[in-house]
Amino acid sequence: MYDAVADDYCYPNSTVLKNKLDLTDADELDAFEAEVSDARADEELPAGDLDFAHFKAVHGHLFQDVYDWAGEIRTVRMSKGGNPFCFPENIENQAKLLFGQLKKDKFLAGLEVKKFAEKAAHFLSELNVIHAFREGNGRTQLSFFLLLADQAGYPIDLEDLDPEAFLDAMIASFHGDEAPLAALIQALIEDQPD
Ligand SMILES: Nc1ncnc2c1ncn2[C@@H]1O[C@H](COP(=O)(O)OP(=O)(O)OP(=O)(O)O)[C@@H](O)[C@H]1O
């Protein structure tokens, strides 16, 4: 749940996001959203160049059944747990910088595991600060990270991810400490069966 309450994305006098099924009950929407985005995540994700357009396409794929604005950046300010994300008017520019750096870094290919984990943690942390979408950022970040890791030669199985530890690490990274996130990523890679 975001700190930001009712906005134009929500039904009048409600914090439930307008959705394609017109579900107005928060629990029903959560359940539907979880089910269909999981199913979409199991499908082949859109192909792309690991750029911002690709990232948005992944969000569009995961949430196409739920929101009209799937794949489109948000237009409202948001925060979580008191932590403010990028203002909407700065999202495009910040994303251009972040994805530009990723390209300069050759999409993190050819790095030994520790370096890859550090760089990937930094990328994920910055991506989270941008928080491009009104909803679905966490799931899109993870799906995109899997594509990135796969292409860099480090295929990862998310079954092995501890969601609570991951969330704590993401929040720590928001406050500038990327070490727990890097350690989690490194452990995920090292724990993969050969
Ligand atoms: N207090 C916080 N400060 C900074 N970032 C946070 C905080 N709480 C959660 N996050 C980040 O925001 C993501 C969730 O964003 P959002 O709710 O848009 O995504 P989601 O896919 O709908 O939800 P989830 O990731 O919980 O399934 C988390 O995965 C985490 O990376």
Side-chain angles (χ1 to χ4, degrees):
M1 181 56 75
Y2 286 101
D3 303 332
V5 277
D7 59 32
D8 282 349
Y9 286 88
C10 300
Y11 291 107
N13 305 314
S14 161
T15 54
V16 177
L17 292 168
K18 292 174 191 164
N19 58 84
K20 289 190 172 184
L21 258 60
D22 260 339
L23 299 171
T24 53
D25 180 87
D27 292 339
E28 273 182 36
L29 175 58
D30 278 355
F32 172 63
E33 196 200 67
E35 189 181 324
V36 294
S37 64
D38 272 4
R40 290 294 184 184
D42 284 341
E43 294 178 351
E44 196 169 334
L45 294 176
D49 298 328
L50 295 176
D51 54 9
F52 190 43
H54 192 189
F55 181 65
K56 288 189 283 189
V58 171
H59 185 276
H61 178 79
L62 295 179
F63 295 98
Q64 61 186 299
D65 311 288
V66 193
Y67 301 117
D68 288 336
W69 44 265
E72 292 171 21
I73 64 176
R74 67 185 153 85
T75 56
V76 293
R77 293 185 182 183
M78 282 189 349
S79 63
K80 256 191 177 191
N83 295 332
F85 299 117
C86 185
F87 286 175
E89 60 271 31
N90 298 329
I91 290 175
E92 283 289 349
N93 273 344
Q94 291 302 313
K96 206 175 274 178
L97 287 174
L98 179 63
F99 283 86
Q101 187 59 50
L102 184 67
K103 189 174 180 183
K104 270 191 214 145
D105 286 343
K106 302 188 172 50
F107 305 101
L108 316 189
L111 300 173
E112 49 95 15
V113 62
K114 187 165 190 293
K115 198 79 202 156
F116 171 82
E118 282 170 10
K119 291 251 182 197
H122 180 68
F123 175 74
L124 271 182
S125 163
E126 295 283 316
L127 197 56
N128 186 49
V129 172
I130 293 174
H131 229 76
F133 311 106
R134 176 63 182 78
E135 165 83 357
N137 293 278
R139 283 164 280 178
T140 310
Q141 287 162 13
L142 271 180
S143 292
F144 190 83
F145 170 61
L146 291 189
L147 291 176
L148 178 68
D150 210 28
Q151 187 163 311
Y154 291 117
I156 286 170
D157 188 345
L158 281 189
E159 294 286 303
D160 304 329
L161 183 68
D162 171 355
E164 242 171 71
F166 183 71
L167 180 59
D168 287 348
M170 288 304 295
I171 294 174
S173 81
F174 188 95
H175 297 296
D177 182 6
E178 294 170 3
L181 186 55
L184 266 184
I185 294 172
Q186 184 170 345
L188 264 182
I189 293 170
E190 288 173 344
D191 292 347
Q192 294 301 305
D194 294 324

